Amino acid sequence: MKFGLMVSTGPYTHQASDTAFQFAKAALARGHEIQRVFFYHDGVNNATKLTEPPQDDRHIVNRWSKLAAEHKIDLVVCIAAALRRGIKDEVLANGFRISGLGQLVDSGIKADRLVVFGD
Amino acid sequence: MMTDEIPGDEPAGPPGGKVKKFMFVNRKAPYGTIYALEGLEVVLISAAFSQDVSMVFLDDGVYELVKGQQTKGIEIKNFSPTYRALDGYDVEKLYVERESLDARGLTEANLIVPVQVLSAMEMGELMQQQDVIIGF
């Protein structure tokens, strides 16, 4: 099955980004496709390479980058939500790109299921 | 208002493609969090994709449609007039849950746009018919 994901909360404060990641990993392991992960609302904060968690904690941002590289997953950050929150191209971690909200609707159209993670 | 179309972000909708039923579920008060405003931005964009779009207002989400919002004191833009512009974007299916209105002492007469009032049961049936449901 082809899944589109949306992450609507930032890293660490909420578990949603962790859960989305675990979902993606599990789906891929079962042979499903992750068509796109769209980061909206505070979810855009999952995309900044300035993130530096303590060493004994998981690195949520780098974990997404690694998964995207391994499985060629399209990680899209909403431009309007990103600019509001100080996320720009110059702070984007590997594998993320900034684009419009149309990419979320496009995901809803092209994926078999759109799954939302967040409040 | 508030469109953020950029090159390479062209609508992938019909003609030729399939039309899906998109439902946007609004559950939160208009101010206090950004969800109502950013949710509305998605709805406006989705209209450009020629999909079958509907909006639902549940719980505190019904406050998004209340007439006479005064936001000067909190220095946040009153974006409620945008709901009146939805018609121009061909977003005409607006559903409000009766139980949510009742619980807040509101009626259709308090709302800024014409809506269809449904019971929670009817709302559930409507949700079952959707292809994509996004909640804000």
Side-chain angles (χ1 to χ4, degrees):
Chain A
M1 189 177 273
K2 206 187 280 187
F3 288 102
L5 310 188
M6 169 174 141
V7 178
S8 62
T9 55
Y12 303 104
T13 306
H14 295 265
Q15 196 183 322
S17 181
D18 292 273
T19 312
F21 174 81
Q22 300 299 348
F23 177 92
K25 218 169 65 167
L28 290 164
R30 292 288 288 266
H32 299 293
E33 182 189 338
I34 302 297
Q35 180 257 354
R36 177 172 296 142
V37 185
F38 190 86
F39 296 87
Y40 197 40
H41 304 309
D42 280 355
V44 299
N45 291 311
N46 287 287
T48 165
K49 65 183 176 192
L50 301 178
T51 305
E52 275 185 52
Q55 282 191 356
D56 59 354
D57 199 355
R58 72 231 185 269
H59 197 306
I60 292 178
V61 177
N62 290 355
R63 209 170 52 174
W64 277 119
S65 295
K66 189 163 169 276
L67 192 74
E70 286 168 359
H71 299 275
K72 294 193 172 59
I73 299 172
D74 192 18
L75 304 180
V76 178
V77 181
C78 168
I79 185 165
L83 292 180
R84 253 188 201 121
R85 294 164 176 86
I87 305 296
K88 300 184 171 193
D89 275 328
E90 49 264 46
V91 301
L92 278 192
N94 286 334
F96 291 88
R97 67 183 177 99
I98 290 185
S99 188
L101 273 172
Q103 297 289 302
L104 172 62
V105 182
D106 176 75
S107 200
I109 294 169
K110 289 181 182 157
D112 298 309
R113 290 279 189 282
L114 182 68
V115 189
V116 180
F117 296 86
D119 293 337
Chain B
M1 63 166 277
M2 302 187 293
T3 54
D4 58 335
E5 287 300 311
I6 56 170
D9 196 34
E10 290 85 13
K18 53 190 167 181
V19 174
K20 282 194 172 181
K21 285 176 182 285
F22 275 73
M23 176 182 276
F24 297 100
V25 182
N26 299 273
R27 292 180 174 275
K28 298 197 168 67
Y31 312 101
T33 69
I34 200 166
Y35 294 108
L37 175 66
E38 286 192 333
L40 194 51
E41 292 183 356
V42 179
V43 174
L44 294 175
I45 295 289
S46 72
F49 284 74
S50 309
Q51 301 296 299
D52 183 354
V53 176
S54 61
M55 287 181 89
V56 160
F57 298 85
L58 293 178
D59 304 336
D60 278 352
V62 298
Y63 286 125
E64 294 178 25
L65 298 180
V66 166
K67 276 181 194 164
Q69 298 179 21
Q70 306 282 347
T71 59
K72 247 195 184 130
I74 54 171
E75 297 182 7
I76 296 176
K77 187 180 160 190
N78 173 7
F79 60 91
S80 64
T82 309
Y83 293 102
R84 276 204 231 118
L86 285 170
D87 200 33
Y89 286 80
D90 286 328
V91 178
E92 290 152 350
K93 296 177 194 166
L94 307 182
Y95 303 100
V96 175
E97 191 197 51
R98 176 171 294 116
E99 287 84 342
S100 299
L101 286 177
D102 289 348
R104 289 160 184 80
L106 297 168
T107 69
E108 266 183 272
N110 299 115
L111 307 181
I112 197 168
V113 283
V115 299
Q116 206 174 329
V117 179
L118 301 178
S119 68
M121 183 80 87
E122 291 167 323
M123 202 65 96
E125 285 163 10
L126 193 63
M127 285 180 171
Q128 212 150 20
Q129 297 164 16
Q130 305 300 314
D131 296 306
V132 181
I133 298 181
I134 302 179
F136 297 107

